[in-house]
PDB file of all heavy atoms in Angstrom:
ATOM      1  N   PHE Q  62      90.760  67.270  52.927  1.00 97.00           N
ATOM      2  CA  PHE Q  62      90.650  68.716  52.737  1.00 97.00           C
ATOM      3  C   PHE Q  62      89.240  69.230  53.009  1.00 97.00           C
ATOM      4  O   PHE Q  62      88.866  70.298  52.529  1.00 97.00           O
ATOM      5  CB  PHE Q  62      91.087  69.091  51.315  1.00 97.00           C
ATOM      6  CG  PHE Q  62      92.552  68.858  51.039  1.00 97.00           C
ATOM      7  CD1 PHE Q  62      92.963  67.940  50.088  1.00 97.00           C
ATOM      8  CD2 PHE Q  62      93.514  69.558  51.752  1.00 97.00           C
ATOM      9  CE1 PHE Q  62      94.303  67.722  49.846  1.00 97.00           C
ATOM     10  CE2 PHE Q  62      94.867  69.352  51.512  1.00 97.00           C
ATOM     11  CZ  PHE Q  62      95.261  68.428  50.558  1.00 97.00           C
ATOM     12  N   PHE Q  63      88.440  68.435  53.772  1.00 97.00           N
ATOM     13  CA  PHE Q  63      87.064  68.860  54.055  1.00 97.00           C
ATOM     14  C   PHE Q  63      87.025  70.211  54.742  1.00 97.00           C
ATOM     15  O   PHE Q  63      86.264  71.102  54.356  1.00 97.00           O
ATOM     16  CB  PHE Q  63      86.359  67.819  54.923  1.00 97.00           C
ATOM     17  CG  PHE Q  63      84.995  68.250  55.392  1.00 97.00           C
ATOM     18  CD1 PHE Q  63      83.902  68.188  54.545  1.00 97.00           C
ATOM     19  CD2 PHE Q  63      84.799  68.735  56.684  1.00 97.00           C
ATOM     20  CE1 PHE Q  63      82.641  68.592  54.962  1.00 97.00           C
ATOM     21  CE2 PHE Q  63      83.545  69.135  57.114  1.00 97.00           C
ATOM     22  CZ  PHE Q  63      82.461  69.063  56.252  1.00 97.00           C
ATOM     23  N   ALA Q  64      87.825  70.404  55.762  1.00 97.00           N
ATOM     24  CA  ALA Q  64      87.781  71.644  56.538  1.00 97.00           C
ATOM     25  C   ALA Q  64      88.560  72.765  55.882  1.00 97.00           C
ATOM     26  O   ALA Q  64      88.139  73.924  55.917  1.00 97.00           O
ATOM     27  CB  ALA Q  64      88.313  71.398  57.952  1.00 97.00           C
ATOM     28  N   THR Q  65      89.686  72.445  55.287  1.00 98.00           N
ATOM     29  CA  THR Q  65      90.580  73.506  54.802  1.00 98.00           C
ATOM     30  C   THR Q  65      90.380  73.870  53.341  1.00 98.00           C
ATOM     31  O   THR Q  65      90.650  75.006  52.942  1.00 98.00           O
ATOM     32  CB  THR Q  65      92.051  73.077  54.971  1.00 98.00           C
ATOM     33  OG1 THR Q  65      92.295  71.920  54.163  1.00 98.00           O
ATOM     34  CG2 THR Q  65      92.360  72.788  56.424  1.00 98.00           C
ATOM     35  N   GLY Q  66      89.919  72.918  52.523  1.00 98.00           N
ATOM     36  CA  GLY Q  66      89.989  73.125  51.092  1.00 98.00           C
ATOM     37  C   GLY Q  66      91.426  72.933  50.624  1.00 98.00           C
ATOM     38  O   GLY Q  66      92.337  72.632  51.407  1.00 98.00           O
ATOM     39  N   LEU Q  67      91.650  73.095  49.355  1.00 98.00           N
ATOM     40  CA  LEU Q  67      92.977  72.913  48.767  1.00 98.00           C
ATOM     41  C   LEU Q  67      93.849  74.137  49.011  1.00 98.00           C
ATOM     42  O   LEU Q  67      93.335  75.256  49.175  1.00 98.00           O
ATOM     43  CB  LEU Q  67      92.850  72.645  47.269  1.00 98.00           C
ATOM     44  CG  LEU Q  67      92.112  71.367  46.876  1.00 98.00           C
ATOM     45  CD1 LEU Q  67      91.861  71.336  45.373  1.00 98.00           C
ATOM     46  CD2 LEU Q  67      92.889  70.127  47.308  1.00 98.00           C
ATOM     47  N   PRO Q  68      95.173  73.981  49.012  1.00 98.00           N
ATOM     48  CA  PRO Q  68      96.040  75.150  49.188  1.00 98.00           C
ATOM     49  C   PRO Q  68      95.958  76.082  47.987  1.00 98.00           C
ATOM     50  O   PRO Q  68      95.954  75.633  46.844  1.00 98.00           O
ATOM     51  CB  PRO Q  68      97.433  74.530  49.317  1.00 98.00           C
ATOM     52  CG  PRO Q  68      97.339  73.228  48.587  1.00 98.00           C
ATOM     53  CD  PRO Q  68      95.939  72.736  48.823  1.00 98.00           C
ATOM     54  N   ILE Q  69      95.906  77.393  48.256  1.00 98.00           N
ATOM     55  CA  ILE Q  69      95.846  78.376  47.158  1.00 98.00           C
ATOM     56  C   ILE Q  69      97.002  79.374  47.235  1.00 98.00           C
ATOM     57  O   ILE Q  69      97.124  80.247  46.381  1.00 98.00           O
ATOM     58  CB  ILE Q  69      94.501  79.132  47.127  1.00 98.00           C
ATOM     59  CG1 ILE Q  69      94.223  79.824  48.454  1.00 98.00           C
ATOM     60  CG2 ILE Q  69      93.368  78.179  46.752  1.00 98.00           C
ATOM     61  CD1 ILE Q  69      92.954  80.695  48.427  1.00 98.00           C
ATOM     62  N   THR Q  70      97.862  79.244  48.273  1.00 98.00           N
ATOM     63  CA  THR Q  70      99.079  80.050  48.351  1.00 98.00           C
ATOM     64  C   THR Q  70     100.223  79.142  48.783  1.00 98.00           C
ATOM     65  O   THR Q  70     100.019  78.004  49.218  1.00 98.00           O
ATOM     66  CB  THR Q  70      98.962  81.198  49.370  1.00 98.00           C
ATOM     67  OG1 THR Q  70      99.045  80.665  50.700  1.00 98.00           O
ATOM     68  CG2 THR Q  70      97.673  81.983  49.202  1.00 98.00           C
ATOM     69  N   GLU Q  71     101.407  79.661  48.663  1.00 98.00           N
ATOM     70  CA  GLU Q  71     102.572  79.004  49.224  1.00 98.00           C
ATOM     71  C   GLU Q  71     102.670  79.329  50.719  1.00 98.00           C
ATOM     72  O   GLU Q  71     102.054  80.291  51.187  1.00 98.00           O
ATOM     73  CB  GLU Q  71     103.833  79.473  48.497  1.00 98.00           C
ATOM     74  CG  GLU Q  71     103.916  79.017  47.054  1.00 98.00           C
ATOM     75  CD  GLU Q  71     103.899  77.501  46.951  1.00 98.00           C
ATOM     76  OE1 GLU Q  71     104.836  76.859  47.475  1.00 98.00           O
ATOM     77  OE2 GLU Q  71     102.947  76.949  46.376  1.00 98.00           O
ATOM     78  N   PRO Q  72     103.421  78.551  51.475  1.00 98.00           N
ATOM     79  CA  PRO Q  72     103.668  78.903  52.875  1.00 98.00           C
ATOM     80  C   PRO Q  72     104.746  79.988  52.971  1.00 98.00           C
ATOM     81  O   PRO Q  72     105.782  79.902  52.300  1.00 98.00           O
ATOM     82  CB  PRO Q  72     104.141  77.581  53.490  1.00 98.00           C
ATOM     83  CG  PRO Q  72     104.679  76.790  52.353  1.00 98.00           C
ATOM     84  CD  PRO Q  72     103.955  77.230  51.116  1.00 98.00           C
ATOM     85  N   TYR Q  73     104.488  80.992  53.809  1.00 98.00           N
ATOM     86  CA  TYR Q  73     105.422  82.103  53.979  1.00 98.00           C
ATOM     87  C   TYR Q  73     105.606  82.382  55.470  1.00 98.00           C
ATOM     88  O   TYR Q  73     104.648  82.310  56.252  1.00 98.00           O
ATOM     89  CB  TYR Q  73     104.896  83.385  53.330  1.00 98.00           C
ATOM     90  CG  TYR Q  73     104.672  83.304  51.838  1.00 98.00           C
ATOM     91  CD1 TYR Q  73     103.411  82.962  51.325  1.00 98.00           C
ATOM     92  CD2 TYR Q  73     105.695  83.603  50.939  1.00 98.00           C
ATOM     93  CE1 TYR Q  73     103.197  82.909  49.953  1.00 98.00           C
ATOM     94  CE2 TYR Q  73     105.485  83.552  49.562  1.00 98.00           C
ATOM     95  CZ  TYR Q  73     104.232  83.195  49.083  1.00 98.00           C
ATOM     96  OH  TYR Q  73     104.011  83.139  47.732  1.00 98.00           O
ATOM     97  N   TRP Q  74     106.831  82.728  55.824  1.00 98.00           N
ATOM     98  CA  TRP Q  74     107.049  83.301  57.142  1.00 98.00           C
ATOM     99  C   TRP Q  74     106.597  84.755  57.126  1.00 98.00           C
ATOM    100  O   TRP Q  74     106.624  85.425  56.080  1.00 98.00           O
ATOM    101  CB  TRP Q  74     108.524  83.229  57.537  1.00 98.00           C
ATOM    102  CG  TRP Q  74     108.984  81.841  57.856  1.00 98.00           C
ATOM    103  CD1 TRP Q  74     109.678  81.002  57.029  1.00 98.00           C
ATOM    104  CD2 TRP Q  74     108.788  81.148  59.080  1.00 98.00           C
ATOM    105  NE1 TRP Q  74     109.928  79.806  57.651  1.00 98.00           N
ATOM    106  CE2 TRP Q  74     109.384  79.866  58.933  1.00 98.00           C
ATOM    107  CE3 TRP Q  74     108.173  81.444  60.292  1.00 98.00           C
ATOM    108  CZ2 TRP Q  74     109.388  78.916  59.937  1.00 98.00           C
ATOM    109  CZ3 TRP Q  74     108.175  80.505  61.298  1.00 98.00           C
ATOM    110  CH2 TRP Q  74     108.767  79.255  61.122  1.00 98.00           C
ATOM    111  N   ALA Q  75     106.168  85.248  58.271  1.00 97.00           N
ATOM    112  CA  ALA Q  75     105.769  86.647  58.395  1.00 97.00           C
ATOM    113  C   ALA Q  75     106.038  87.106  59.821  1.00 97.00           C
ATOM    114  O   ALA Q  75     106.047  86.302  60.765  1.00 97.00           O
ATOM    115  CB  ALA Q  75     104.298  86.830  58.056  1.00 97.00           C
ATOM    116  N   THR Q  76     106.273  88.388  59.963  1.00 96.00           N
ATOM    117  CA  THR Q  76     106.383  88.983  61.294  1.00 96.00           C
ATOM    118  C   THR Q  76     105.000  89.448  61.702  1.00 96.00           C
ATOM    119  O   THR Q  76     104.424  90.349  61.081  1.00 96.00           O
ATOM    120  CB  THR Q  76     107.368  90.164  61.291  1.00 96.00           C
ATOM    121  OG1 THR Q  76     108.641  89.708  60.828  1.00 96.00           O
ATOM    122  CG2 THR Q  76     107.508  90.746  62.691  1.00 96.00           C
ATOM    123  N   VAL Q  77     104.456  88.801  62.727  1.00 96.00           N
ATOM    124  CA  VAL Q  77     103.056  88.991  63.094  1.00 96.00           C
ATOM    125  C   VAL Q  77     102.965  89.447  64.551  1.00 96.00           C
ATOM    126  O   VAL Q  77     103.669  88.915  65.425  1.00 96.00           O
ATOM    127  CB  VAL Q  77     102.257  87.681  62.895  1.00 96.00           C
ATOM    128  CG1 VAL Q  77     100.839  87.825  63.402  1.00 96.00           C
ATOM    129  CG2 VAL Q  77     102.260  87.282  61.423  1.00 96.00           C
ATOM    130  N   LYS Q  78     102.102  90.406  64.795  1.00 94.00           N
ATOM    131  CA  LYS Q  78     101.859  90.874  66.163  1.00 94.00           C
ATOM    132  C   LYS Q  78     100.823  89.958  66.819  1.00 94.00           C
ATOM    133  O   LYS Q  78      99.683  89.876  66.368  1.00 94.00           O
ATOM    134  CB  LYS Q  78     101.352  92.311  66.139  1.00 94.00           C
ATOM    135  CG  LYS Q  78     101.135  92.933  67.518  1.00 94.00           C
ATOM    136  CD  LYS Q  78     100.594  94.358  67.374  1.00 94.00           C
ATOM    137  CE  LYS Q  78     100.303  94.967  68.734  1.00 94.00           C
ATOM    138  NZ  LYS Q  78      99.676  96.317  68.612  1.00 94.00           N
ATOM    139  N   VAL Q  79     101.229  89.261  67.871  1.00 92.00           N
ATOM    140  CA  VAL Q  79     100.362  88.330  68.572  1.00 92.00           C
ATOM    141  C   VAL Q  79     100.337  88.703  70.053  1.00 92.00           C
ATOM    142  O   VAL Q  79     101.398  88.701  70.703  1.00 92.00           O
ATOM    143  CB  VAL Q  79     100.838  86.867  68.408  1.00 92.00           C
ATOM    144  CG1 VAL Q  79      99.898  85.920  69.141  1.00 92.00           C
ATOM    145  CG2 VAL Q  79     100.941  86.497  66.941  1.00 92.00           C
ATOM    146  N   ALA Q  80      99.151  89.048  70.551  1.00 91.00           N
ATOM    147  CA  ALA Q  80      99.001  89.458  71.958  1.00 91.00           C
ATOM    148  C   ALA Q  80      99.972  90.575  72.298  1.00 91.00           C
ATOM    149  O   ALA Q  80     100.573  90.603  73.376  1.00 91.00           O
ATOM    150  CB  ALA Q  80      99.176  88.267  72.880  1.00 91.00           C
ATOM    151  N   GLY Q  81     100.170  91.483  71.351  1.00 93.00           N
ATOM    152  CA  GLY Q  81     101.013  92.655  71.584  1.00 93.00           C
ATOM    153  C   GLY Q  81     102.486  92.446  71.322  1.00 93.00           C
ATOM    154  O   GLY Q  81     103.271  93.398  71.395  1.00 93.00           O
ATOM    155  N   GLU Q  82     102.907  91.210  71.015  1.00 92.00           N
ATOM    156  CA  GLU Q  82     104.310  90.931  70.753  1.00 92.00           C
ATOM    157  C   GLU Q  82     104.490  90.490  69.296  1.00 92.00           C
ATOM    158  O   GLU Q  82     103.652  89.785  68.735  1.00 92.00           O
ATOM    159  CB  GLU Q  82     104.810  89.818  71.684  1.00 92.00           C
ATOM    160  CG  GLU Q  82     104.766  90.170  73.169  1.00 92.00           C
ATOM    161  CD  GLU Q  82     105.321  89.047  74.025  1.00 92.00           C
ATOM    162  OE1 GLU Q  82     105.735  88.009  73.440  1.00 92.00           O
ATOM    163  OE2 GLU Q  82     105.318  89.184  75.253  1.00 92.00           O
ATOM    164  N   PHE Q  83     105.624  90.881  68.711  1.00 94.00           N
ATOM    165  CA  PHE Q  83     105.911  90.509  67.328  1.00 94.00           C
ATOM    166  C   PHE Q  83     106.663  89.188  67.303  1.00 94.00           C
ATOM    167  O   PHE Q  83     107.669  89.005  68.012  1.00 94.00           O
ATOM    168  CB  PHE Q  83     106.719  91.612  66.635  1.00 94.00           C
ATOM    169  CG  PHE Q  83     105.892  92.844  66.362  1.00 94.00           C
ATOM    170  CD1 PHE Q  83     105.870  93.895  67.278  1.00 94.00           C
ATOM    171  CD2 PHE Q  83     105.117  92.936  65.220  1.00 94.00           C
ATOM    172  CE1 PHE Q  83     105.103  95.016  67.043  1.00 94.00           C
ATOM    173  CE2 PHE Q  83     104.347  94.059  64.977  1.00 94.00           C
ATOM    174  CZ  PHE Q  83     104.335  95.107  65.899  1.00 94.00           C
ATOM    175  N   ARG Q  84     106.150  88.245  66.477  1.00 95.00           N
ATOM    176  CA  ARG Q  84     106.718  86.911  66.420  1.00 95.00           C
ATOM    177  C   ARG Q  84     106.871  86.471  64.971  1.00 95.00           C
ATOM    178  O   ARG Q  84     106.171  86.959  64.074  1.00 95.00           O
ATOM    179  CB  ARG Q  84     105.827  85.905  67.151  1.00 95.00           C
ATOM    180  CG  ARG Q  84     105.507  86.249  68.595  1.00 95.00           C
ATOM    181  CD  ARG Q  84     104.599  85.181  69.190  1.00 95.00           C
ATOM    182  NE  ARG Q  84     104.154  85.527  70.535  1.00 95.00           N
ATOM    183  CZ  ARG Q  84     103.348  84.778  71.265  1.00 95.00           C
ATOM    184  NH1 ARG Q  84     102.887  83.627  70.768  1.00 95.00           N
ATOM    185  NH2 ARG Q  84     102.986  85.157  72.482  1.00 95.00           N
ATOM    186  N   ASP Q  85     107.745  85.493  64.763  1.00 96.00           N
ATOM    187  CA  ASP Q  85     107.827  84.839  63.464  1.00 96.00           C
ATOM    188  C   ASP Q  85     106.756  83.752  63.402  1.00 96.00           C
ATOM    189  O   ASP Q  85     106.719  82.849  64.242  1.00 96.00           O
ATOM    190  CB  ASP Q  85     109.204  84.197  63.274  1.00 96.00           C
ATOM    191  CG  ASP Q  85     110.267  85.228  62.930  1.00 96.00           C
ATOM    192  OD1 ASP Q  85     109.918  86.238  62.281  1.00 96.00           O
ATOM    193  OD2 ASP Q  85     111.422  85.038  63.335  1.00 96.00           O
ATOM    194  N   VAL Q  86     105.897  83.857  62.403  1.00 97.00           N
ATOM    195  CA  VAL Q  86     104.793  82.919  62.237  1.00 97.00           C
ATOM    196  C   VAL Q  86     104.767  82.444  60.784  1.00 97.00           C
ATOM    197  O   VAL Q  86     104.868  83.268  59.865  1.00 97.00           O
ATOM    198  CB  VAL Q  86     103.445  83.561  62.602  1.00 97.00           C
ATOM    199  CG1 VAL Q  86     102.293  82.592  62.340  1.00 97.00           C
ATOM    200  CG2 VAL Q  86     103.431  84.009  64.060  1.00 97.00           C
ATOM    201  N   LEU Q  87     104.650  81.150  60.579  1.00 98.00           N
ATOM    202  CA  LEU Q  87     104.494  80.605  59.229  1.00 98.00           C
ATOM    203  C   LEU Q  87     103.005  80.613  58.883  1.00 98.00           C
ATOM    204  O   LEU Q  87     102.174  80.141  59.664  1.00 98.00           O
ATOM    205  CB  LEU Q  87     105.040  79.184  59.157  1.00 98.00           C
ATOM    206  CG  LEU Q  87     105.089  78.559  57.754  1.00 98.00           C
ATOM    207  CD1 LEU Q  87     106.192  79.223  56.915  1.00 98.00           C
ATOM    208  CD2 LEU Q  87     105.318  77.051  57.831  1.00 98.00           C
ATOM    209  N   VAL Q  88     102.670  81.152  57.711  1.00 98.00           N
ATOM    210  CA  VAL Q  88     101.274  81.306  57.304  1.00 98.00           C
ATOM    211  C   VAL Q  88     101.079  80.667  55.934  1.00 98.00           C
ATOM    212  O   VAL Q  88     101.904  80.868  55.023  1.00 98.00           O
ATOM    213  CB  VAL Q  88     100.872  82.795  57.233  1.00 98.00           C
ATOM    214  CG1 VAL Q  88      99.426  82.934  56.777  1.00 98.00           C
ATOM    215  CG2 VAL Q  88     101.076  83.479  58.571  1.00 98.00           C
ATOM    216  N   GLN Q  89      99.995  79.891  55.786  1.00 98.00           N
ATOM    217  CA  GLN Q  89      99.613  79.379  54.470  1.00 98.00           C
ATOM    218  C   GLN Q  89      98.100  79.371  54.375  1.00 98.00           C
ATOM    219  O   GLN Q  89      97.404  78.936  55.299  1.00 98.00           O
ATOM    220  CB  GLN Q  89     100.156  77.970  54.239  1.00 98.00           C
ATOM    221  CG  GLN Q  89      99.776  77.427  52.856  1.00 98.00           C
ATOM    222  CD  GLN Q  89     100.520  76.185  52.464  1.00 98.00           C
ATOM    223  OE1 GLN Q  89     101.123  75.514  53.302  1.00 98.00           O
ATOM    224  NE2 GLN Q  89     100.503  75.866  51.166  1.00 98.00           N
ATOM    225  N   CYS Q  90      97.585  79.843  53.232  1.00 98.00           N
ATOM    226  CA  CYS Q  90      96.141  79.925  53.033  1.00 98.00           C
ATOM    227  C   CYS Q  90      95.650  78.836  52.094  1.00 98.00           C
ATOM    228  O   CYS Q  90      96.260  78.549  51.057  1.00 98.00           O
ATOM    229  CB  CYS Q  90      95.753  81.303  52.494  1.00 98.00           C
ATOM    230  SG  CYS Q  90      95.893  82.610  53.736  1.00 98.00           S
ATOM    231  N   PHE Q  91      94.543  78.236  52.495  1.00 98.00           N
ATOM    232  CA  PHE Q  91      93.821  77.239  51.714  1.00 98.00           C
ATOM    233  C   PHE Q  91      92.490  77.872  51.301  1.00 98.00           C
ATOM    234  O   PHE Q  91      92.183  78.997  51.675  1.00 98.00           O
ATOM    235  CB  PHE Q  91      93.603  75.986  52.552  1.00 98.00           C
ATOM    236  CG  PHE Q  91      94.868  75.264  52.928  1.00 98.00           C
ATOM    237  CD1 PHE Q  91      95.788  75.831  53.812  1.00 98.00           C
ATOM    238  CD2 PHE Q  91      95.141  74.016  52.411  1.00 98.00           C
ATOM    239  CE1 PHE Q  91      96.953  75.167  54.165  1.00 98.00           C
ATOM    240  CE2 PHE Q  91      96.310  73.334  52.759  1.00 98.00           C
ATOM    241  CZ  PHE Q  91      97.216  73.918  53.636  1.00 98.00           C
TER     242      PHE Q  91
END
């Protein structure tokens, strides 16, 4: 976990705009 640190949220899917297009992206924050 040197680079990321420990997880502080759960993983969630989200609808994210990427390069102008909306996509399903799984996001989790450490």
Side-chain angles (χ1 to χ4, degrees):
F62 293 116
F63 173 78
T65 63
L67 297 171
I69 57 175
T70 74
E71 292 300 297
Y73 299 93
W74 288 100
T76 303
V77 174
K78 183 181 177 184
V79 181
E82 297 182 0
F83 289 93
R84 305 179 186 179
D85 283 329
V86 177
L87 187 71
V88 179
Q89 181 168 16
C90 288
F91 295 68

